[in-house]
Amino acid sequence: MHYATMALLMYISIVLVAVLAILYQVELNSDPVIASAGVTLMRSREDTFKYAANVPNYHKWTLMISKIDEINKTQISSGKTFNLYSRIPLFGEQTIPTKVVAYKPFHRLDLQTHARLLEMRISMSFTDIRRDLLPYTRLDCTVTARRRSLLYYVSVLQGLRFVMTSQLKGTLLNLKLMLQT
């Protein structure tokens, strides 16, 4: 009986490793969305973009960022690099190398992170909205994972979605409060 149990456990282990190997090799067709949210701000698109593109102030309105270190002190544009620092429970302070990968003044800003476990792209688009002759801006933000492995998608990404969606909504609320005062 003992030998049969050991053999069964060995076969289950082999099948589990095979399934994990297959899931790791199968890739999704596109970068999976982690979180997506938007906010309407009572500011012009230019003012909103200038505030959102001011990297040294990210820690003031972004929930997970504790500080920022600009690697190159140039104006923001495609290719600009900087380090974001985030305090993560149980892991301590983590350095997240980040690069501006898309920059269209007053319209779009995309950042690419290169963290150990999470490479993601943060896309922000800015759209004019007119209400009662006042300038409003719609800011839509989407966070996508750069890893396309099905194993990553079914394991890490599902829990991360819950956390990142609430973090993104809180961040946009902070931004709205900062810009409305």
Side-chain angles (χ1 to χ4, degrees):
M1 184 80 167
H2 179 65
Y3 177 75
T5 304
M6 293 299 288
L8 179 63
L9 287 175
M10 184 177 76
Y11 290 127
I12 290 173
S13 299
I14 290 170
V15 169
L16 183 62
V17 167
V19 167
L20 290 175
I22 290 169
L23 287 175
Y24 180 75
Q25 292 179 3
V26 174
E27 289 196 355
L28 303 170
N29 293 331
S30 62
D31 293 342
V33 173
I34 300 173
S36 183
V39 66
T40 300
L41 304 161
M42 197 169 74
R43 285 285 183 104
S44 69
R45 181 169 36 100
E46 290 79 12
D47 286 347
T48 303
F49 185 86
K50 284 178 188 176
Y51 195 84
N54 187 354
V55 175
N57 285 332
Y58 274 17
H59 68 282
K60 293 180 181 176
W61 57 276
T62 306
L63 296 179
M64 294 183 73
I65 305 302
S66 58
K67 67 180 181 176
I68 290 93
D69 180 25
E70 292 183 84
I71 294 171
N72 55 355
K73 303 283 186 188
T74 61
Q75 282 189 319
I76 192 159
S77 62
S78 285
K80 181 174 177 71
T81 56
F82 48 92
N83 287 327
L84 302 175
Y85 296 91
S86 180
R87 292 199 183 280
I88 301 172
L90 302 177
F91 294 105
E93 186 172 79
Q94 298 294 308
T95 303
I96 305 168
T98 305
K99 182 178 183 178
V100 176
V101 291
Y103 179 80
K104 184 177 178 187
F106 311 119
H107 293 281
R108 185 172 192 85
L109 177 63
D110 288 12
L111 307 173
Q112 175 76 43
T113 67
H114 300 284
R116 274 187 240 148
L117 292 176
L118 179 64
E119 289 190 24
M120 62 183 173
R121 184 175 186 137
I122 303 151
S123 300
M124 294 180 269
S125 65
F126 304 81
T127 310
D128 281 327
I129 298 175
R130 294 279 177 195
R131 289 187 186 165
D132 302 325
L133 301 175
L134 295 172
Y136 283 78
T137 301
R138 176 73 185 173
L139 169 57
D140 291 303
C141 188
T142 303
V143 180
T144 55
R146 302 300 289 170
R147 293 187 182 190
R148 294 184 177 183
S149 157
L150 191 56
L151 177 62
Y152 183 77
Y153 180 78
V154 298
S155 59
V156 175
L157 209 57
Q158 299 309 312
L160 192 58
R161 272 190 175 149
F162 175 74
V163 173
M164 288 299 291
T165 297
S166 63
Q167 291 289 327
L168 180 58
K169 288 179 180 180
T171 293
L172 292 177
L173 177 62
N174 280 350
L175 178 63
K176 185 171 187 164
L177 293 172
M178 297 284 279
L179 288 176
Q180 305 297 59
T181 56

